[in-house]
Amino acid sequence: MTKLFDKLYIKLLILVSIILTFLLRIDFHSNLFDYLFWDSLVIYCGPLYYSTGEDPYSLLNECSTRVGIFKYVYLPFFLELFSSFIKISIESFFIIWVIIIFLSLIITGYLLNKIFQIKNYLFTFLIMLFSLSGIPFYGFLSGNISIILYMLAAYSIYLTISENKKKTLLGIFIIFLISLFKIHLLILFIIPMTYISLSYFKYIITLSTFVPLFVLYNGLAYPVLFKSFLLNLSILPFAGDMGVGLMKFSNFINSRILGLSDSYHTGTHNWKVIYEGQFNLLYDYILSLLFIIIYLFTALKIRKSSFSFLPDEDKRIKISLAIIIATLCMPRLKQYDLLLTGISCLYLINSKVLQDLAIEKFKEMNKKILIIFLNLMVLGFFSLKGDNYFIYPICLIIITIFLVLFSSLKKNNEFKDKDA
């Protein structure tokens, strides 16, 4: 895998992506201090409103200009949990938060470097941030709490690849903890499920059932606040903040192709909208559920497959595939949800496994063209938007090409065995 970084064109792609990210994604003409880490103070301002008797799920513009058009979108339980933050000044909190975000990013890069056994930490770090049109770096600039959560997710993967039962159980438990804060992160259980022993599945199933129970507890313990929480979630489609994930992909199919749904607003990010209930999400939920079932079935097939004679390499391929699948399952895929995705895509594309699969299917020149094309998709710069609408199809194309090549090779080998 270290040969990946010996390819000159990949180094050039990374360099170009870094340059374009800074030139096109950062507004150097604005006050950078007010512009950067715009999500950071939501964690502070929501509990602050809660402690003073104001509605924590309303616009937080009176708390800080940095969160002028943002609302608190986390469960009521965390309003009480994070209320201790308001004992320090907003300026002190911001500084502490930014330090934590920086450390989380550094640790995530270190863990990915260890997981994928890449000797060059610097390139691991740069790919993590500047792949996929620099979207992960843009996510880092948001200062969202997901940066911390994905650091914990990377740590959970690092723990579960060990053969130590206590470490594996701890890794599983960490995914459970982060899913309490962002419920959809339960999807990350897909990752260890592709390579850990079946004996651990009972723990995953048990912990997974506690997440909806935790949501139910919030509804019973904080009925008024919980209603406001659900209201904030319900306005996402026409507040323009649905990201580019599974729900947006399903809505695109339903609205543009099948004519079953209204098209979500995109790019407006207007939290000042008043709930009008004009979106019927039923068809989008149904189609998204269908895709999730397909992705789960794919993950099951990956678990049963052997991609390499080397156990560690086989496990890393499965981790790459599972991270991409988890990305595809995210209902609301935002820029900070991609910290684990870029390096997974590049590892898969440049692995000896894919190289061998391509050799079996294509001539040498065509194989090189395919690999270069896939690398360009991951490291190319396609969009100025914070939520890159190319991300979902790129991930879908990469995993589809890999699995089609693998299935084709497997069928050919089975045919040869029968013929022999």
Side-chain angles (χ1 to χ4, degrees):
M1 182 57 187
T2 53
K3 291 182 179 179
L4 163 65
F5 305 115
D6 294 332
K7 297 176 181 177
L8 179 60
Y9 81 93
I10 288 184
K11 293 180 180 180
L12 290 175
L13 284 174
I14 295 171
L15 178 61
V16 170
S17 183
I18 293 171
I19 293 172
L20 291 178
T21 297
F22 279 95
L23 288 179
L24 302 177
R25 290 198 181 280
I26 300 178
D27 184 4
F28 290 101
H29 299 291
S30 67
N31 188 330
L32 281 180
F33 182 79
D34 292 332
Y35 169 71
L36 301 179
F37 305 109
W38 54 87
D39 276 353
S40 58
L41 295 182
V42 172
I43 298 296
Y44 182 94
C45 293
L48 177 63
Y49 274 37
Y50 174 72
S51 68
T52 58
E54 298 178 72
D55 182 7
Y57 290 100
S58 64
L59 282 175
L60 302 174
N61 54 323
E62 293 183 7
C63 175
S64 169
T65 56
R66 192 183 294 273
V67 289
I69 60 168
F70 288 90
K71 291 185 177 182
Y72 193 81
V73 291
Y74 308 114
L75 287 166
F77 171 82
F78 296 104
L79 290 169
E80 285 196 278
L81 182 65
F82 295 146
S83 61
S84 58
F85 287 154
I86 64 175
K87 295 176 183 178
I88 61 176
S89 68
I90 194 169
E91 292 80 11
S92 298
F93 171 82
F94 179 76
I95 293 171
I96 293 171
W97 189 261
V98 171
I99 291 173
I100 293 173
I101 292 297
F102 265 100
L103 290 175
S104 297
L105 201 68
I106 293 169
I107 294 171
T108 303
Y110 171 80
L111 291 168
L112 289 174
N113 193 65
K114 288 293 185 181
I115 291 167
F116 291 106
Q117 292 294 296
I118 302 170
K119 294 180 180 179
N120 192 321
Y121 170 78
L122 176 61
F123 278 103
T124 306
F125 189 76
L126 293 177
I127 288 170
M128 178 184 72
L129 285 180
F130 297 103
S131 58
L132 301 169
S133 295
I135 296 294
F137 180 74
Y138 191 73
F140 159 67
L141 295 181
S142 73
N144 192 278
I145 193 172
S146 290
I147 298 164
I148 301 171
L149 299 182
Y150 278 101
M151 179 270 291
L152 293 172
Y155 184 52
S156 73
I157 297 170
Y158 177 71
L159 289 172
T160 55
I161 60 177
S162 71
E163 300 298 327
N164 185 291
K165 183 176 180 180
K166 290 183 179 179
K167 289 183 178 180
T168 302
L169 288 174
L170 178 58
I172 291 171
F173 189 72
I174 288 173
I175 295 177
F176 162 71
L177 286 180
I178 62 178
S179 67
L180 292 179
F181 194 78
K182 290 199 172 185
I183 304 160
H184 63 274
L185 292 183
L186 266 177
I187 291 166
L188 296 178
F189 272 131
I190 288 176
I191 301 169
M193 285 174 65
T194 59
Y195 56 85
I196 61 173
S197 169
L198 281 172
S199 62
Y200 293 106
F201 277 43
K202 60 185 177 184
Y203 300 106
I204 292 176
I205 294 171
T206 302
L207 290 173
S208 296
T209 59
F210 277 104
V211 176
L213 290 177
F214 179 68
V215 176
L216 179 62
Y217 161 76
N218 275 263
L220 296 175
Y222 313 94
V224 177
L225 290 172
F226 188 73
K227 185 177 179 180
S228 297
F229 161 75
L230 293 179
L231 182 61
N232 278 356
L233 292 184
S234 67
I235 68 174
L236 286 174
F238 57 98
D241 197 30
M242 284 302 290
V244 293
L246 180 58
M247 285 292 288
K248 185 71 178 72
F249 182 69
S250 298
N251 177 257
F252 178 84
I253 294 174
N254 281 332
S255 62
R256 303 292 179 86
I257 300 174
L258 302 179
L260 296 175
S261 303
D262 293 325
S263 180
Y264 297 162
H265 296 172
T266 57
T268 55
H269 204 93
N270 178 20
W271 279 93
K272 295 181 181 180
V273 295
I274 299 173
Y275 178 67
E276 300 173 5
Q278 75 257 42
F279 278 96
N280 181 0
L281 302 181
L282 178 61
Y283 293 114
D284 296 343
Y285 283 133
I286 292 173
L287 187 57
S288 295
L289 180 60
L290 177 62
F291 278 117
I292 288 175
I293 292 172
I294 293 171
Y295 292 145
L296 287 175
F297 177 77
T298 304
L300 180 62
K301 296 290 288 184
I302 289 169
R303 174 183 175 79
K304 293 180 178 179
S305 300
S306 178
F307 299 101
S308 173
F309 294 112
L310 302 174
D312 289 342
E313 174 70 3
D314 181 65
K315 190 175 291 186
R316 286 193 288 271
I317 292 294
K318 289 180 177 178
I319 290 172
S320 299
L321 291 166
I323 287 175
I324 298 172
I325 288 176
T327 301
L328 293 172
C329 285
M330 291 293 170
R332 179 175 172 261
L333 186 65
K334 300 292 290 183
Q335 57 267 33
Y336 36 73
D337 291 309
L338 295 163
L339 288 170
L340 311 183
T341 308
I343 192 69
S344 301
C345 289
L346 281 184
Y347 184 88
L348 191 66
I349 293 167
N350 296 278
S351 65
K352 187 177 182 300
V353 175
L354 184 60
Q355 301 272 348
D356 292 343
L357 292 175
I359 288 172
E360 289 284 338
K361 198 69 178 177
F362 304 110
K363 295 178 181 179
E364 182 65 21
M365 181 56 68
N366 291 337
K367 182 205 80 170
K368 289 181 179 179
I369 292 173
L370 173 66
I371 301 301
I372 291 173
F373 168 71
L374 293 176
N375 278 319
L376 184 60
M377 283 204 306
V378 177
L379 290 174
F381 207 95
F382 302 105
S383 174
L384 302 182
K385 293 182 178 293
D387 300 318
N388 187 335
Y389 296 101
F390 290 98
I391 289 172
Y392 201 92
I394 284 174
C395 290
L396 196 56
I397 288 170
I398 289 172
I399 196 167
T400 300
I401 288 175
F402 182 91
L403 293 176
V404 167
L405 287 175
F406 178 75
S407 298
S408 176
L409 178 64
K410 189 175 179 181
K411 287 180 180 178
N412 287 340
N413 288 340
E414 288 175 355
F415 179 78
K416 289 176 183 177
D417 290 341
K418 289 180 179 178
D419 194 48

